[in-house]
């Protein structure tokens, strides 16, 4: 955007331009008596560089500048004036900015401000307006069922070594206060950075660090941001002396005062070795998943809530070798110890039964190890193989209960290739869960991690009460031609390696581009084939979207059907809902049946969504 | 610039609408209010409930034809401090069209010159400001056609609104248009909606004379005021849920200007987007009558004589339909004169007659103004001849005499004094009201006010404000207020 403008102004003969003799500065003012050029290249001397005037009232001067960034201003009859033909300004004084390369040409400069008020403040954001209509089945007519406006305003203030960034956010549907009918605006995220290398960063609810660990064995992924809440704050220190790179991070969850510390030290660029350490410590109350030694419900059948104290140590070592430019071998191993102490409380999370129930406290230890191999065969072809095992061991501190153990073992084999217009990938994964027969499946779902068990494989969890074996196969195929792309992706879940697929999801679709128009359509089919669960059927969903690019980052969209990101939200809600479905052992098998049927019923409800949605999105 | 550069230049211009910096304009407004009341307990003249109100407006023009606007409010008072959304819109505008998504803005204006089918305070879901959210699109001058479409959701209750207007111009001053309105809500057993369809047109008859016609039909399944009535039948057509009005304005003859209209509003014609045909507001149901207006400009004198009359027959007396019809007749006469020296005067007589009685009001007003000050004097006799004999009469406070004065003085170029005082003399009591204000405007964007009294008692044109003329218990309020306003 701005580079285009600068180029345009240069073509028009306005603003600074590169010439064989140097940079030519111009200022148009036929009424001025004398104009000088001052900048960091002449120590801001207001009279050192007089400019000459042509017949049309344009003042000019040519200056040889060294490569790099330069700030300057004109002195017009004694008044300091920024260059009106150069929209790029910087610093507290609003000086005009240019950048010169080694050949004496002008290089585009990113602006630090887009507000007339200050050269320091840059405001950008994302605005979304949304209308959704659907047919009212009761009165059989089309109605507007939902509207929404979502605004994010980001403020970026840059002052040499300091950068401050914060975001204001509101959503007119989610944030509506039903009592006052007001929509509060909140500071959603913030970050302050001091320095470049080394640098210190303080943050509030913002992911500031992406770990370069090859398999994310330890990792830091903003644990307190999702799903527990949006109240994480912290501090990070980073330094890169030579071949070393060190990151030390501390994060705190405000509402519960849980702490997380993460350290990563890495050596090398091409061949690399790294050490990652993470400590999670704190008190997490009112967790809805029961500890495994208690299968009790209250009289209404609801789960008993547990308060958990966590102390979790994880250490991992990884290494990467690159024998050639296109081949990389990576290996990692990690070990974790988790201590969890659980105590029961009432359904509403109060502590009235805390003291009476202290005898049921349990201690949980977690051990996890991971080994992976990633082989880059060619420039765009990667093969990966990994094995991971995680073991949870439970002891009761006071009661003479037997020690129990749950083990998750995962084999993963995958391949991906990008041949330009054709891309494909597949992943075969086998997850084995060994658990006591009385362990509630909701516990397995929560602690196995949602990423391990894809949505279409949920019915597999707990099929066999004592020994659950599952495998899943995912694939992705994409074929591109100018203006058109076709894709096909999906997954299958198997109850055993030699059995027929239990469930499947397939998505086939197309994406067409023509000038500023984009048409996207997909058909998604979910199939469940589980006679043992008395659940068998297939449901298809259609979705189509027409998009018009009003401008590079402004779109107008019209869609029909349930939008894909609404589908993801739906799945998240279902996970939370299914976790609440009875946990007693007597209902275990019945719940698996209900799960299968519930999934089909829920998919059919989604397929009935024929809403038409209009929304516009603008980023600036 | 050579011939190679020019095509490249045009290519840049054509290909990229992003040829301006993404400018974000910030504007704001601040208001601080500090009040001390003599009547506060337990501490008289206690400074209570200081209020700070700050509004920040962002106007963003990232690309040509696109505009985004949002306004945030920060309000702190004795209760709490809140930062909340005031308004938002995202608009795309061309030379002949405009489309926008809006939230909490008043975007509901739509022309309905006679029946006033759309009044924005009803349409915008007002609850201390508009709360509705939706989409509006307009187009004009497309092969002579023009149109508007509004689709939105109410936020204080579960419901939606749909508004559309489509018309064509026949020449610069003639048009014909179709209007469709629908309000849906989810409270109560279905069907729950109100639908209005209207046809409107204007024809220029030459000079300053126009003929306008507007006819509308409504559907409101939950409203049934009147049983079938021969008075509302036209052949086989049942007009109970119709409203029609036709007007001619202005016929000029010598120094006369005449206007008139005839109207018929059916007993079941209901429009939830208006105040007039809304059962919760003005409920103008079951009316057939006419309106006439005559203005005479006295030659060679700055004197106007005005006469207006409105007469209709109806059976509706809120909230029921009577067995018999009655006539309502309103007459208004006025003499307005301007004198040399910045003085003007008005004398008027207002008469309202319906089945409950007759009420006549007399008003005399004189205003004098020069560069330094402005003075207004009012004298009004309200409900002339209604004698309570010392006791209260239903529907009236009885005859009362009302005096009012308003003064504005420019003490200095930056300092201004303003005051209002009013007295009421009724058959069994007297009442009064005062309000004073000192305004300081030193800079272009700053105002400071020091006030005494309650301004709301007489702000509706002095003694004509119903808060004063119809409330014999009004008395001056001992309240001091400091108000600071600042714009940037």
């Amino acid at each position: 955007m701005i580079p285009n403008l600068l180029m345009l102004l240069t073509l028009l003969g306005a603003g600074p331009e590169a010439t064989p003799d140097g940079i030519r500065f111009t200022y148009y003012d036929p009424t001025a008596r004398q104009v000088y050029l001052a900048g960091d290249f002449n120590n801001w001397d207001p009279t050192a560089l007089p400019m000459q005037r042509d017949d049309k009232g344009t003042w000019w001067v040519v200056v040889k500048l060294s490569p790099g960034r330069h700030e300057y201003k004109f002195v017009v009859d004694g008044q300091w004036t920024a260059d009106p033909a150069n929209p790029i300004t910087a610093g507290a004084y609003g000086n005009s900015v240019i950048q010169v390369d080694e050949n004496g040409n002008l290089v585009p400069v990113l602006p630090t401000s887009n507000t007339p008020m200050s050269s320091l403040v840059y405001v950008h954001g994302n605005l979304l307006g949304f209308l959704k209509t659907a047919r009212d089945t009761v009165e059989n007519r089309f109605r507007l069922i939902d509207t929404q406006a979502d605004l994010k305003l980001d403020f970026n203030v840059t002052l040499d070594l300091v950068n401050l960034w914060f975001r204001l956010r509101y959503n007119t549907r989610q944030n509506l206060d039903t009592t006052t009918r007001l929509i509060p605006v909140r500071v959603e995220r913030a970050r302050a950075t001091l320095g470049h290398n080394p640098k210190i960063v303080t943050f509030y609810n913002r992911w500031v660090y992406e770990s370069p660990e090859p398999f994310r064995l330890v990792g830091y992924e903003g644990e307190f941001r999702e799903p527990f809440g949006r109240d994480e704050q912290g501090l990070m220190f980073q330094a890169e002396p030579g071949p070393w790179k060190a990151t030390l991070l501390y994060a705190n969850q405000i509402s519960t005062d849980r702490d997380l510390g993460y350290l990563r030290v890495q050596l090398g660029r091409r061949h690399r070795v790294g050490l990652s350490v993470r400590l999670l410590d704190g008190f997490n109350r009112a967790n809805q998943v029961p500890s495994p030694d208690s299968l009790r419900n209250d009289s209404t059948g609801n789960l008993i809530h547990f308060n958990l104290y966590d102390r979790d140590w994880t250490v991992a070592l990884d290494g990467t070798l690159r024998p050639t430019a296109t081949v990389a071998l990576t290996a990692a191993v990690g070990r974790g110890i988790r201590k969890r102490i659980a105590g029961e409380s009432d359904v509403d999370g109060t502590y009235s039964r805390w003291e009476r129930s202290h005898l049921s406290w349990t201690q949980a230890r977690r051990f996890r190890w991971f080994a992976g191999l990633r082989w880059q065969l060619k420039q765009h072809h990667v093969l990966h193989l990994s094995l991971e095992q995680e073991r949870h061991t439970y002891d009761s501190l006071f009661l003479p209960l037997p020690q129990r153990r749950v083990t998750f073992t995962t084999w993963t084999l995958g391949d991906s290739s990008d041949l330009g217009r054709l891309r494909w990938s597949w992943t075969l994964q086998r997850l084995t869960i060994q658990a006591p027969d009385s362990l509630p499946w909701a516990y397995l779902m929560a602690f196995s991690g949602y990423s391990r068990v894809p949505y279409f494989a949920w019915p597999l969890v707990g099929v066999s009460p004592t020994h659950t074996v599952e495998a899943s196969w995912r694939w992705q195929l994409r074929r591109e031609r100018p203006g058109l792309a076709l894709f096909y992706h999906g997954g299958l879940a198997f109850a055993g390696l030699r059995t027929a697929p239990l469930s499947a999801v397939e998505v086939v679709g197309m994406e067409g581009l023509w000038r500023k128009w984009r048409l996207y359509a997909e058909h998604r089919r979910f199939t469940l084939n589980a006679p043992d669960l008395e659940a068998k059927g297939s449901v298809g969903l259609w979705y189509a979207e027409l998009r018009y690019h009003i401008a590079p980052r402004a779109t107008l969209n019209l869609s029909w059907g349930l939008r894909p990101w609404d589908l993801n939200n739906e799945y998240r809600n279902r996970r939370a809902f299914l976790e609440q479905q009875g946990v007693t052992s007597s209902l275990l098998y019945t719940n698996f049946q209900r799960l299968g049927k519930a999934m089909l019923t829920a998919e059919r409800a989604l397929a009935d969504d024929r809403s038409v949605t209009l929304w516009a999105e603008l980023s600036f | 610039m050579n011939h190679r550069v020019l095509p490249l230049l045009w290519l840049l211009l054509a290909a990229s609408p992003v040829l301006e910096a993404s400018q974000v304009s910030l504007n704001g407004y601040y208001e601080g209010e500090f009040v001390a009341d003599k009547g506060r307990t337990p501490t008289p003249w206690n400074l209570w409930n200081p209020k700070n109100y700050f509004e920040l407006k962002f106007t963003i023009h990232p690309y040509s034809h696109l505009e985004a606007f949002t306004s945030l409010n920060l309000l702190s008072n004795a209760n709490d401090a809140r930062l909340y959304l005031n308004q938002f819109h995202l608009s795309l505008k061309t030379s002949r069209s405009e489309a926008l998504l809006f939230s909490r803005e008043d975007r509901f204006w739509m022309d309905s010159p006679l029946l006033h089918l759309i009044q924005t305070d009803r349409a915008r879901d007002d609850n201390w400001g508009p709360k509705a959210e939706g989409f509006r699109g307009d187009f004009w001058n497309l092969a002579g056609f023009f149109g508007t479409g509004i689709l939105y959701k109410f936020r204080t209750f579960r419901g939606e609104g749909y508004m559309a207007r489509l018309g064509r111009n026949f020449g610069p001053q003639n048009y014909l248009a179709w209007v469709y309105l629908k309000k849906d809500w989810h409270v109560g057993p279905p069907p729950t909606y109100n639908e209005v369809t209207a046809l409107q047109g204007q024809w220029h008859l030459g000079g300053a004379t126009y003929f306008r016609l507007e006819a509308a039909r409504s559907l409101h399944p939950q409203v049934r005021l009147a049983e079938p009535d021969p008075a509302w039948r036209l052949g086989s057509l049942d007009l109970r849920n119709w409203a029609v009005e036709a007007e001619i304005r202005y016929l000029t003859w010598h120094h006369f200007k005449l206007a008139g209209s005839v109207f018929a509003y059916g007993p079941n014609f209901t429009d939830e987007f208006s105040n007039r045909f809304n059962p919760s507001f003005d409920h103008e149901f079951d009316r057939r009558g006419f309106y006439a207006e005559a203005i005479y400009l006295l030659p060679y004198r700055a004197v106007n004589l005005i006469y207006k009359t409105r007469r209709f027959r109806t059976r509706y007396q809120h909230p029921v339909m009577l067995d018999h019809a009655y006539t309502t007749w309103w007459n208004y006469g006025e003499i307005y004169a301007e004198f040399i020296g910045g003085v003007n005067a008005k004398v008027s007589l207002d008469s309202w007659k319906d089945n409950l009685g007759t009420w006549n009001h007399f008003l005399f007003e004189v205003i004098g103004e020069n560069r330094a000050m402005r003075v207004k004097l009012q004298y009004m006799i309200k409900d002339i001849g209604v004698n309570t004999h010392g006791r209260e009469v239903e529907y009236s406070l009885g005859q009362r005499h009302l005096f009012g004065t308003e003064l504005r003085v420019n003490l200095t170029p930056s300092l201004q004094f303003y005051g209002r005082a009013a007295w009421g003399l009724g058959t069994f009591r007297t009442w009064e009201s005062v309000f004073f204000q000192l305004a300081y405007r030193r800079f272009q964007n700053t105002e400071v006010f020091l006030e005494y009294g309650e301004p709301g008692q007489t702000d509706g044109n002095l003694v004509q404000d119903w808060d004063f003329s119809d409330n014999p218990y009004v008395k001056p309020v001992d309240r001091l207020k400091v108000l600071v306003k600042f714009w940037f």
Side-chain angles (χ1 to χ4, degrees):
Chain A
M1 173 178 74
I2 297 301
N4 284 343
L5 176 61
L6 198 54
M7 285 161 54
L8 174 64
L9 290 173
T10 305
L11 287 169
L12 286 172
E17 62 175 314
T19 69
D21 298 324
I23 304 299
R24 177 187 164 97
F25 294 87
T26 56
Y27 178 77
Y28 176 74
D29 187 351
T31 65
R33 291 189 297 273
Q34 186 58 56
V35 180
Y36 296 89
L37 174 68
D40 53 17
F41 39 83
N42 66 352
N43 289 325
W44 296 99
D45 190 329
T47 57
L49 268 177
M51 299 174 73
Q52 299 180 50
R53 185 185 189 280
D54 65 14
D55 298 335
K56 295 176 184 174
T58 300
W59 299 79
W60 64 272
V61 68
V62 178
V63 182
K64 198 82 174 174
L65 294 180
S66 57
R69 176 189 163 102
H70 297 282
E71 296 184 14
Y72 68 95
K73 260 184 172 169
F74 299 118
V75 183
V76 182
D77 294 336
Q79 295 293 324
W80 291 87
T81 306
D83 187 349
N86 182 358
I88 311 300
T89 59
Y93 301 104
N95 298 327
S96 301
V97 181
I98 56 169
Q99 183 136 352
V100 182
D101 66 12
E102 291 172 354
N103 298 323
N105 296 317
L106 288 172
V107 176
V109 179
L110 288 177
T112 58
S113 169
N114 63 348
T115 66
M117 286 187 66
S118 167
S119 61
L120 302 177
V121 178
Y122 197 106
V123 181
H124 55 101
N126 180 271
L127 311 174
L128 174 70
F130 166 101
L131 293 173
K132 184 174 181 180
T133 61
R135 182 166 290 279
D136 185 322
T137 54
V138 174
E139 298 190 30
N140 194 29
R141 53 196 175 99
F142 235 82
R143 299 183 80 144
L144 174 65
I145 59 174
D146 196 14
T147 62
Q148 180 182 182
D150 189 285
L151 175 84
K152 298 176 201 140
L153 275 180
D154 297 339
F155 294 80
N156 200 32
V157 183
T158 305
L159 276 169
D160 294 331
L161 291 178
V162 176
N163 175 266
L164 172 65
W165 178 93
F166 66 93
R167 169 177 289 177
L168 296 181
R169 176 85 184 266
Y170 66 74
N171 181 292
T172 60
R173 182 177 56 170
Q174 295 170 5
N175 300 145
L176 176 66
D177 184 325
T178 52
T179 305
T180 63
R181 297 292 169 186
L182 296 176
I183 296 173
V185 176
R186 55 198 174 94
V187 177
E188 188 187 63
R189 303 178 199 280
R191 180 202 65 206
T193 306
L194 173 64
H196 301 295
N197 182 15
K199 71 177 175 185
I200 297 173
V201 180
T202 65
F203 58 91
Y204 169 72
N205 196 33
R206 174 158 175 159
W207 193 348
V208 296
Y209 176 68
E210 188 157 350
S211 173
E213 290 181 62
F215 298 109
R216 297 290 177 90
L217 205 58
V218 174
Y220 160 69
E221 294 178 295
E223 268 81 348
F224 303 146
R225 289 168 60 240
E226 186 73 40
F228 300 110
R230 297 175 180 270
D231 56 354
E232 179 185 57
Q233 60 188 2
L235 183 70
M236 182 178 76
F237 172 82
Q238 263 189 344
E240 290 187 50
W244 293 88
K245 187 172 182 179
T247 302
L248 180 62
L249 183 145
Y250 163 73
N252 169 261
Q253 186 178 24
I254 302 168
S255 58
T256 63
D257 199 22
R258 295 172 76 196
D259 298 311
L260 181 143
Y262 177 80
L263 169 69
R264 175 158 176 90
V265 179
Q266 186 174 295
L267 173 63
R269 306 274 183 212
R270 182 179 162 185
H271 306 298
R272 207 164 56 189
V273 62
L275 173 71
S276 306
V277 180
R278 190 183 78 173
L279 167 65
L280 176 65
D281 190 17
F283 192 66
N284 183 22
R285 56 176 295 205
N287 191 295
Q288 289 186 327
V289 177
S291 71
D293 71 330
S294 172
L295 299 176
R296 288 177 289 165
N297 292 21
D298 63 9
S299 58
T300 61
N302 294 321
L303 288 175
I304 301 295
H305 290 220
F306 282 78
N307 298 292
L308 300 172
Y309 179 79
D310 282 322
R311 177 162 286 166
D312 185 336
W313 276 101
T314 313
V315 178
L317 192 65
D318 62 87
T320 301
L321 286 175
R322 293 184 190 274
T324 70
T326 58
V327 176
L329 299 172
T330 305
V333 62
R335 175 168 177 163
I337 299 173
R338 188 176 201 178
K339 189 170 186 176
R340 169 171 282 195
I341 301 174
E344 294 182 19
S345 67
D346 285 341
V347 173
D348 63 359
T350 61
Y351 295 91
S352 60
R353 287 163 57 178
W354 179 260
E355 292 181 1
R356 294 196 300 272
S357 65
H358 69 278
L359 294 177
S360 70
W361 283 23
T362 60
Q363 176 177 261
R365 296 188 302 278
R366 185 185 72 172
F367 173 75
R368 182 185 181 202
W369 65 271
F370 179 95
L373 185 68
R374 186 171 177 271
W375 184 15
Q376 191 158 359
L377 298 169
K378 295 180 181 177
Q379 191 172 6
H380 301 292
H381 194 172
V382 178
L383 187 71
H384 62 93
L385 171 69
S386 67
L387 172 64
E388 176 189 342
Q389 189 173 74
E390 183 168 332
R391 184 182 308 148
H392 297 233
T393 306
Y394 297 90
D395 301 307
S396 176
L397 293 177
F398 302 102
L399 296 177
L401 296 175
Q403 186 186 76
R404 283 173 297 165
R405 185 174 289 176
V406 180
T407 306
F408 304 88
T409 306
T410 309
W411 281 98
T412 306
L413 174 66
D415 181 33
S416 65
S417 181
D418 187 345
L419 301 174
R421 288 186 180 172
L422 177 65
R423 277 180 274 164
W424 54 275
S425 67
W426 59 265
T427 306
L428 180 65
Q429 186 178 66
R430 183 182 182 221
L431 167 64
T432 307
I433 305 174
Q434 292 171 295
D437 58 355
S438 59
L439 204 63
W441 64 266
Y443 172 82
L444 290 175
M445 290 286 290
F447 279 92
S448 66
Y450 300 125
S451 60
R452 288 203 187 96
V453 186
Y455 175 72
F456 56 88
W458 287 3
L460 291 176
V461 178
V463 165
S464 166
T466 57
H467 190 151
T468 303
V469 178
E470 70 154 57
S472 60
W473 179 39
R474 281 180 266 198
W475 68 89
Q476 193 178 93
L477 182 69
R478 187 177 175 92
R479 175 85 166 92
E480 289 186 6
R481 299 176 62 185
L484 180 67
L486 304 172
F487 57 87
Y488 174 54
H489 60 85
L492 297 174
F494 302 81
L497 292 179
R498 293 176 188 167
T499 61
L502 186 69
S503 63
V505 63
E506 300 168 88
V507 180
V508 61
M510 57 79 72
E511 185 176 355
L513 295 168
W514 179 67
R515 294 189 179 177
K516 294 186 179 182
W517 294 90
R518 172 186 177 266
L519 177 65
Y520 175 90
E522 72 171 35
H523 176 74
R524 182 181 181 281
R525 180 154 291 275
F526 174 75
T527 306
L528 192 60
N529 182 23
D532 292 343
L533 302 182
E534 298 181 11
K536 191 171 180 178
S538 184
V539 181
L541 278 76
W542 282 98
Y543 174 75
E545 177 184 302
L546 183 64
R547 174 174 295 181
Y548 176 70
H549 285 264
I550 305 168
R553 294 196 296 169
T555 61
L556 188 63
N557 311 269
L558 185 68
S559 70
W560 174 73
L562 188 68
R563 296 180 305 164
W565 60 84
D566 286 343
L567 194 64
N568 290 333
N569 286 339
E570 178 69 23
Y571 290 160
R572 266 200 289 274
N573 292 338
R574 285 186 200 174
R575 278 196 290 265
F577 174 75
L578 290 174
E579 283 176 24
Q580 310 252 345
Q581 302 302 304
V583 294
T584 60
S585 55
S586 61
L587 293 174
L588 203 61
Y589 188 68
T590 308
N591 285 331
F592 290 137
Q593 286 183 318
R594 288 180 183 171
L595 174 60
K597 289 177 184 173
M599 290 177 76
L600 273 178
T601 304
E603 287 291 325
R604 287 192 187 106
L606 293 182
D608 290 339
D609 189 322
R610 297 281 188 265
S611 58
V612 175
T613 305
L614 171 72
W615 79 94
E617 190 165 2
L618 166 69
S619 296
F620 62 95
Chain B
M1 227 181 301
N2 58 31
H3 65 281
R4 289 180 188 172
V5 172
L6 268 174
L8 177 61
L9 182 59
W10 285 116
L11 183 64
L12 277 173
L13 283 168
S16 171
V18 192
L19 291 182
E20 52 185 302
S22 180
Q23 285 294 329
V24 179
S25 302
L26 301 179
N27 301 95
Y29 168 74
Y30 166 77
E31 182 179 299
E33 182 182 291
F34 307 91
V35 179
D37 254 321
K38 182 182 179 184
R40 289 288 293 177
T41 55
T43 313
W45 295 112
N46 178 34
L47 186 70
W48 68 285
N49 198 21
K51 184 186 87 174
N52 290 281
Y53 174 79
F54 181 70
E55 192 173 311
L56 193 58
K57 303 176 191 178
F58 296 85
T59 307
I60 302 133
H61 292 104
Y63 311 105
S64 57
H65 308 307
L66 270 180
E67 177 186 275
F69 171 82
T70 189
S71 162
L72 309 180
N73 286 1
L74 176 65
L75 173 66
S76 84
N77 52 27
N79 298 322
D80 61 9
R82 293 175 186 159
L83 176 63
Y84 58 93
L85 167 68
N86 188 27
Q87 293 178 338
F88 162 77
H89 75 249
L90 183 57
S91 77
L92 174 65
K93 191 168 182 177
T94 67
S95 60
R96 294 185 182 183
S97 68
E98 182 177 12
L100 58 90
L101 289 160
F102 64 90
S103 178
R104 309 201 152 205
E105 289 189 346
D106 190 344
R107 293 280 178 177
F108 302 96
W109 58 89
M110 195 179 279
D111 202 12
S112 174
L114 299 178
L115 295 178
H116 306 293
L117 296 175
I118 302 103
Q119 284 166 301
T120 61
D121 53 345
R122 291 280 69 75
R124 67 191 185 201
D125 192 19
D126 198 285
N127 182 344
W128 296 97
K131 294 292 182 288
E133 187 171 86
F135 168 83
R136 177 179 177 126
D138 293 86
F139 70 91
W140 54 89
N141 291 337
L142 282 181
F145 285 90
F146 58 87
T148 297
I150 305 173
L151 179 71
Y152 69 101
K153 201 124 174 82
F154 291 91
R155 283 302 187 198
T156 59
F157 62 94
R158 285 187 64 204
E160 304 86 51
Y162 310 89
M163 302 164 69
R165 183 170 186 253
L166 182 64
R168 194 181 194 284
N169 289 313
F170 302 93
Q173 299 182 78
N174 305 327
Y175 70 85
L176 193 65
W178 165 83
V179 173
Y180 174 78
L181 310 171
K182 185 168 187 181
K183 180 176 177 180
D184 269 327
W185 57 92
H186 300 257
V187 178
T192 49
Y193 68 90
N194 171 222
E195 187 178 281
V196 175
T197 311
L199 199 62
Q200 50 185 219
Q202 172 178 291
W203 290 267
H204 182 223
L205 302 178
T209 308
Y210 292 84
F211 173 74
R212 294 192 185 100
L213 174 70
E214 194 163 0
R217 177 175 175 264
S218 77
L219 288 174
H220 197 313
Q222 297 189 350
V223 169
R224 279 291 180 270
L225 277 177
E227 295 305 314
D229 187 343
W232 289 100
R233 294 200 73 85
L234 187 67
S236 60
L237 196 61
D238 184 354
L239 299 176
R240 283 178 296 161
N241 58 339
W242 281 78
V244 180
E245 185 160 348
E247 174 189 84
I248 286 185
R249 177 183 296 269
Y250 284 97
L251 290 169
T252 54
W253 179 65
H254 294 293
H255 296 281
F256 276 98
K257 290 172 70 175
L258 305 169
S261 69
V262 290
F263 55 86
Y265 312 143
N268 289 338
F269 179 78
T270 312
D271 176 16
E272 296 262 351
F273 290 98
S274 77
N275 288 321
R276 296 182 68 185
F277 308 108
N278 193 319
S280 304
F281 292 90
D282 297 344
H283 37 80
E284 293 186 23
F285 300 130
D286 188 56
R287 296 185 179 187
R288 282 166 295 157
F290 67 89
Y291 168 81
E293 178 182 315
I295 302 173
Y296 180 68
L297 308 174
L298 210 64
Y300 311 110
R301 295 285 186 271
V303 177
N304 298 340
L305 304 177
I306 299 168
Y307 173 70
K308 300 178 185 177
T309 183
R310 184 185 204 91
R311 182 179 172 129
F312 60 87
R313 195 150 174 83
T314 180
R315 284 172 52 206
Y316 183 77
Q317 183 154 18
H318 186 67
V320 296
M321 291 286 283
L322 304 176
D323 294 331
H324 59 277
Y326 65 93
T327 300
T328 297
W329 197 2
W330 172 72
N331 289 282
Y332 177 81
E334 176 187 306
I335 302 172
Y336 175 81
E338 289 188 9
F339 301 95
I340 297 172
V343 179
N344 59 68
K346 180 171 77 175
V347 175
S348 71
L349 189 63
D350 186 315
S351 172
W352 175 275
K353 178 182 176 184
D354 61 16
N355 63 331
L356 299 175
T358 302
W359 291 273
N360 301 312
H361 319 298
F362 168 80
L363 174 71
F364 169 76
E365 179 183 276
V366 61
I367 298 175
E369 184 174 5
N370 62 20
R371 293 178 65 178
M373 67 167 63
R374 180 179 188 271
V375 180
K376 179 196 284 186
L377 299 171
Q378 281 184 350
Y379 169 60
M380 184 173 189
I381 308 174
K382 199 159 185 185
D383 294 346
I384 299 170
V386 177
N387 191 343
T388 64
H389 298 290
R391 56 182 170 82
E392 289 191 7
V393 172
E394 198 176 12
Y395 308 119
S396 174
L397 297 174
Q399 178 176 298
R400 48 206 184 278
H401 299 262
L402 307 167
F403 305 87
T405 179
E406 181 185 86
L407 174 68
R408 191 188 301 275
V409 181
N410 297 325
L411 300 172
T412 73
S414 306
L415 192 63
Q416 186 184 73
F417 171 80
Y418 172 80
R420 290 198 300 264
W423 296 267
L425 178 64
T427 54
F428 56 94
R429 62 182 300 126
T430 61
W431 59 98
E432 56 275 334
S433 168
V434 292
F435 173 71
F436 301 119
Q437 182 191 78
L438 202 60
Y440 182 64
R441 299 181 178 92
R442 176 66 178 88
F443 305 102
Q444 210 171 6
N445 60 347
T446 307
E447 289 181 337
V448 181
F449 300 96
L450 175 63
E451 297 179 351
Y452 171 81
E454 172 51 60
Q457 293 170 345
T458 53
D459 59 350
N461 199 8
L462 216 55
V463 299
Q464 293 179 283
D465 190 327
W466 286 18
D467 289 330
F468 181 80
S469 63
D470 289 9
N471 183 4
Y473 301 101
V474 166
K475 57 182 179 181
V477 176
D478 291 317
R479 177 182 299 147
L480 274 177
K481 182 190 285 186
V482 174
L483 203 56
V484 178
K485 298 183 182 180
F486 169 69
W487 295 263
F488 65 92

